[in-house]
Each structure stands twice: as structure tokens, then as C-alpha cells.
Amino acid sequence: QVQLAESGGGSVQAGGSLRLSCAVSGYTYGSRYSMAWFRQAPGKEREGVAAITPGGGATYADSVRGRFTISRDNYKNTVYLQMNSLKPEDTAMYYCAAEWKYSDSLLKDAYNYWGQGTQVTVSS
């Protein structure tokens, strides 16, 4: 059973930076999982932010492209989301997701494994 644990959330002022981490455990061949970050603000649908394939190919939502960077360290079984130039509209609960099959999708139905989330709050 794959388990995902997010960390690194917090409160920051607009223009600041945060780096989220997602530790992956309880699996074999972890480097073959496709990984993604999603976020959900109160009263809104969960939306895809960034995805990374087993080979390292990245996909970004238009709202974060150029500000966020997704990366993975297969030796540490960890996926990261570096978030720069944060805006108040980036405030949300951020979730890590994983899927055994190849995927670069930002659709939540493409992923079967989810973490519990980490809160990011950006103040103006």
C-alpha cells in the first residue's frame, strides 16, 4: 500500500517562497510512479498544480507556470514543489498524489494514491 506524507506548508507573505515535500513509502519500484501536486481552497474544487512523470517530465497549470517547480529525488523517494512569488490566491490545502501508470495529467481522477495534505497560507 502506497503512503504519501506531505510537509513544508506554512504561512508566508505575498512574494515569498515555500518548498513542499512529499515522502513516498510502502511500495516497490517507487521511481516508476507518476506524481502530482494538487490544491484545494475552501469552497473550490481540487485542482491540479503540477505533475511529474517517472522520467522527470513536468506539467504545470497555467496559474503557476513560471513560479512553481516540481521535482523528484528517486533515491530519497521524495517529490518536491518549489513555490516562488507566492500570491494570496495560492492559499489552499496542498495534496500529493501518485499513480503507478505513466501520467502527466493534472486531473485528480488520474491518481489513486493521496496524502493528507499540508496547508499553505499566503497573506497580502
Side-chain angles (χ1 to χ4, degrees), residues 2-121:
V2 175
Q3 295 179 322
L4 309 177
E6 303 95 335
S7 62
S11 297
V12 65
Q13 289 190 326
S17 299
L18 284 173
R19 188 176 81 156
L20 306 183
S21 299
C22 173
V24 187
S25 61
Y27 61 91
T28 56
Y29 305 111
S31 63
R32 296 183 185 178
Y33 279 85
S34 299
M35 305 292 300
W37 287 96
F38 287 75
R39 66 186 181 187
Q40 188 167 16
K44 293 188 177 181
E45 293 288 322
R46 189 171 298 191
E47 63 174 355
V49 173
I52 188 165
T53 66
T59 304
Y60 297 95
D62 289 343
S63 59
V64 306
R65 187 176 293 112
R67 299 188 297 122
F68 291 10
T69 303
I70 189 171
S71 61
R72 64 193 300 161
D73 184 333
N74 290 331
Y75 292 103
K76 295 183 178 179
N77 299 320
T78 301
V79 175
Y80 304 97
L81 185 68
Q82 177 67 43
M83 305 186 295
N84 298 328
S85 302
L86 282 162
K87 304 175 181 180
E89 51 263 45
D90 294 318
T91 295
M93 184 73 78
Y94 282 71
Y95 298 90
C96 178
E99 175 55 46
W100 174 249
K101 296 177 294 185
Y102 174 93
S103 177
D104 59 0
S105 176
L106 294 180
L107 299 178
K108 58 183 184 293
D109 290 343
Y111 299 87
N112 283 313
Y113 303 102
W114 293 85
Q116 295 298 309
T118 185
Q119 178 68 38
V120 172
T121 302

